[in-house]
Amino acid sequence: MDNITQEEKNVVDELRKRTINDMTSKLLEDDSVFYRFAKARDFDLVEAEAMLRKHIAWRKEWKIDSILTEYEPPEVLLKYYSSSFLCFDKEGSIVRFSDIGRVDAKGLCNSASKTEMGKFCVYLAELDKASVIKRGGNLGRPIFSPIYDFEDLTYAKAVNVKGKFDSSRNSLFMFAFKEMFGQVSSLTK
């Protein structure tokens, strides 16, 4: 946040003033939250405030502040969802591997609802975020560095999925990723 203009700083400060009373204590643990939402909307105060308010409402609706302590992930997702924490990169970001090509997406969609899968993904993201914080990481920059393996992903597998996640909700998390689509990894057998 050191390299921002005075005008951008003013937007961040005004966003803080307008929304601080609606923020949960958990959200306020992140010093960069106001900056990140302002930056995600190119420092357009009206758009940043609308996005942040939607995020606050969504966090309350999904009980994100207590997801790590009160949420019990479905066994099928714990067992078959193909995503694993690998390590921290040089900058302290989480490196998570997802084997998209070989996962049984149809089986997962038949075994868990769209809501359960979405909540599980949020659970993993919050778990990773907690790991970064525990290590003293900086939330003011991207903290996720995903690696996706698309080997064996066919068109038929890609489109034969029960439902899609709400893209407007996904946009709230996308600015936390180093690269929107991560580093595509095609591993050899």
Side-chain angles (χ1 to χ4, degrees), residues 90-117:
K90 290 183 204 177
E91 298 168 349
S93 298
I94 291 281
V95 178
R96 181 170 284 280
F97 176 79
S98 295
D99 187 358
I100 306 229
R102 286 180 280 275
V103 71
D104 179 10
K106 186 176 180 181
L108 282 176
C109 287
N110 288 330
S111 301
S113 72
K114 212 170 31 167
T115 302
E116 288 172 323
M117 291 193 326

Side-chain angles (χ1 to χ4, degrees), residues 67-159:
I67 199 167
L68 295 178
T69 56
E70 296 177 9
Y71 172 66
E72 183 83 28
E75 184 179 352
V76 68
L77 294 177
L78 286 172
K79 196 170 184 179
Y80 297 108
Y81 188 84
S82 181
S83 183
S84 303
F85 165 80
L86 293 180
C87 61
F88 290 93
D89 68 12
K90 290 183 204 177
E91 298 168 349
S93 298
I94 291 281
V95 178
R96 181 170 284 280
F97 176 79
S98 295
D99 187 358
I100 306 229
R102 286 180 280 275
V103 71
D104 179 10
K106 186 176 180 181
L108 282 176
C109 287
N110 288 330
S111 301
S113 72
K114 212 170 31 167
T115 302
E116 288 172 323
M117 291 193 326
K119 193 151 192 169
F120 184 69
C121 289
V122 172
Y123 169 78
L124 290 177
E126 288 293 311
L127 196 62
D128 289 348
K129 186 172 116 181
S131 296
V132 169
I133 291 169
K134 186 176 181 180
R135 287 187 54 156
N138 178 1
L139 296 180
R141 60 180 176 66
I143 60 170
F144 300 108
S145 187
I147 300 172
Y148 298 114
D149 183 356
F150 293 104
E151 188 173 333
D152 295 335
L153 181 67
T154 64
Y155 179 77
K157 277 186 184 177
V159 298

Side-chain angles (χ1 to χ4, degrees), residues 1 31 37 93 108 117 158 170:
M1 234 173 77
D31 295 335
F37 277 87
S93 298
L108 282 176
M117 291 193 326
N170 288 341

